[in-house]
Amino acid sequence: MSKIRAFVVRLQDEPAVEEIENDLATFQKLVGGYVEIINLGHGLSLWCNESGALEKLPLNRGVVCYSEGVHTGAHFIRGTFFVTRYDAHGDAASISEGDARALRLRLWDCR
């Protein structure tokens, strides 16, 4: 399986770019359950635990979402999550250093 660079945000750590396996089992293990994908706009996808609120996971970060440059709402993410790019087929792809810098400014701490 191939690896991708993802922007990983764990509860106990500062966000970091990590190399992870590009497969569903790895994604589920990282978030601790089934994944929910949130389109952040600008070619970015946020992967989190789909039942984080039901499981009462701790709040981690808030994020603003955009679609074609228009603000479409905000989400409060619970538990560990990560962000990737997506390719022309909608599959997860590596983020760039520029993406990581922008994400550090775009996410706010809710812990």
Side-chain angles (χ1 to χ4, degrees), residues 2 4-5 7 12 17 23 39 46 67 72 79 84-85 91 98 103 110-111:
S2 65
I4 59 171
R5 290 169 36 91
F7 187 79
Q12 68 276 16
V17 175
D23 64 56
N39 181 352
L46 184 148
S67 178
T72 59
T84 65
R85 284 209 149 271
D91 297 325
L103 285 164
C110 298
R111 298 175 289 171

Side-chain angles (χ1 to χ4, degrees), residues 7-11 30-31 34-40 45-54 56-65 73-83 103 106-111:
F7 187 79
V8 180
V9 186
R10 291 184 170 83
L11 284 167
L30 192 54
V31 303
Y34 292 113
V35 294
E36 176 180 357
I37 304 168
I38 299 171
N39 181 352
L40 298 180
S45 294
L46 184 148
W47 302 72
C48 61
N49 185 313
E50 76 172 5
S51 30
L54 291 173
K56 297 187 171 138
L57 295 178
L59 280 172
N60 190 340
R61 301 287 196 282
V63 63
V64 175
C65 300
H75 292 272
F76 295 95
I77 311 300
R78 293 176 173 270
T80 296
F81 68 92
F82 63 98
V83 179
L103 285 164
R106 193 168 166 191
L107 300 170
W108 67 90
D109 200 333
C110 298
R111 298 175 289 171

